[in-house]
Amino acid sequence: MNELPVKTSNFIKQGKFYIQITCSNEGALELINESIDELKTEKVNFVKEKIKRDIKNACIYFIFIVF
């Protein structure tokens, strides 16, 4: 959100996020949707990395228990 030409108010009320925009509504919605798509992709990558790290830690722990 910080790279978008959108000013946010950091005000959340009843699950709604209010945004002051400096461009057209369509443009802002398009930029927000792109950002949400990027966040979804980053979430998938984060989960994969977390699983990979947890498997590595589990293997190290298993080796430690065996010895």
Side-chain angles (χ1 to χ4, degrees), residues 41-64:
T41 303
E42 289 178 15
K43 178 188 79 168
V44 170
N45 293 336
F46 175 78
V47 170
K48 286 180 183 178
E49 290 296 320
K50 186 92 165 161
I51 290 171
K52 190 186 298 185
R53 190 190 78 202
D54 289 347
I55 289 172
K56 178 185 167 190
N57 288 343
C59 292
I60 292 171
Y61 183 71
F62 178 73
I63 292 171
F64 177 74

Side-chain angles (χ1 to χ4, degrees), residues 17-31:
F17 186 61
Y18 296 94
I19 301 174
Q20 286 182 327
I21 58 174
T22 58
C23 57
S24 69
N25 287 343
E26 294 81 20
L29 289 174
E30 185 177 316
L31 291 171

